[in-house]
Amino acid sequence: MTEQRNMPEVIIKLWDDGDLGLLRQLNSPEMTVHFGGPETEEKILSRHKRYYEIAQKGTGRMFKILLLPQLEVVGSVGYWDQTWQGESIYEIGWSVLPAFQGRGIATEATAKAITSIKSEKKHRFIHAFPKINNPASNAICRKLGFSWIDECDFEYPIGTIIRCNDWRLTVGENE
């Protein structure tokens, strides 16, 4: 019970056209150290468009994370269709601004995104692919009940191979 009381209160809201500023904040060198560094403005604009259109296309959802009670925008969490080792899955990812890290915000927001995934009943598994040297993101996977599958090579961003852990969470019986 004590741990529950100390958890931050967050809500997640669908990404919209007004969230470009957040994406620019998440594109800092500090925030992209595990992803090969900041993207160009052209790539940021393209990503932003993908983020706010993904729900309309039915291929996932991207959310901004808001910290209560002030409704301060502190990061993002989302999931999207992916094919992994020949299987249709959801891939999930999250990012919290540096000033808000270490408070459980990403864990709480990701748990809410998982609830959204479960309501869709689309894929059997969710996978997360944090870099092997990203202890915070790997800890989130453990806290949320993901099973560690193995280390793997993963392409992100496109054209760059990174060494990751493959974490899997079962959310459905069948696809």
Side-chain angles (χ1 to χ4, degrees):
M1 281 281 192
T2 305
E3 186 179 336
Q4 192 78 334
R5 245 181 312 160
N6 292 332
M7 294 306 289
E9 289 189 68
V10 299
I11 59 172
I12 58 175
K13 293 223 174 205
L14 276 177
W15 195 271
D16 63 44
D17 195 34
D19 293 323
L20 180 58
L22 171 60
L23 193 54
R24 285 186 175 126
Q25 287 181 282
L26 295 172
N27 191 48
S28 72
E30 181 180 10
M31 291 299 300
T32 59
V33 70
H34 295 288
F35 306 119
E39 293 181 309
T40 65
E41 180 67 8
E42 181 182 354
K43 286 186 178 180
I44 286 297
L45 292 172
S46 175
R47 178 181 297 278
H48 176 58
K49 186 175 189 282
R50 260 191 341 268
Y51 280 9
Y52 72 78
E53 289 179 347
I54 191 171
Q56 297 165 12
K57 292 180 178 178
T59 58
R61 297 205 187 301
M62 285 302 300
F63 303 95
K64 59 190 156 219
I65 304 169
L66 298 123
L67 183 61
L68 298 174
Q70 297 87 3
L71 297 178
E72 191 167 8
V73 179
V74 298
S76 69
V77 62
Y79 54 91
W80 48 94
D81 289 338
Q82 180 69 273
T83 300
W84 179 244
Q85 299 178 338
E87 185 172 24
S88 294
I89 62 159
Y90 268 134
E91 181 181 344
I92 193 165
W94 51 85
S95 199
V96 171
L97 294 168
F100 301 95
Q101 292 176 3
R103 298 172 19 182
I105 292 169
T107 302
E108 285 300 300
T110 303
K112 290 179 184 308
I114 290 168
T115 298
S116 176
I117 289 170
K118 288 178 178 178
S119 73
E120 292 182 16
K121 298 181 168 115
K122 184 174 180 181
H123 298 301
R124 184 173 181 206
F125 298 115
I126 305 169
H127 284 254
F129 300 97
K131 279 183 90 172
I132 59 172
N133 64 348
N134 184 340
S137 284
N138 283 288
I140 289 168
C141 292
R142 278 189 295 279
K143 287 177 195 172
L144 293 176
F146 283 73
S147 298
W148 181 78
I149 304 301
D150 203 352
E151 288 185 14
C152 63
D153 289 328
F154 196 80
E155 187 176 15
Y156 189 85
I158 299 210
T160 303
I161 302 298
I162 58 176
R163 194 72 179 155
C164 296
N165 283 314
D166 177 7
W167 292 91
R168 182 177 75 191
L169 182 68
T170 303
V171 291
E173 294 178 28
N174 298 313
E175 284 192 31

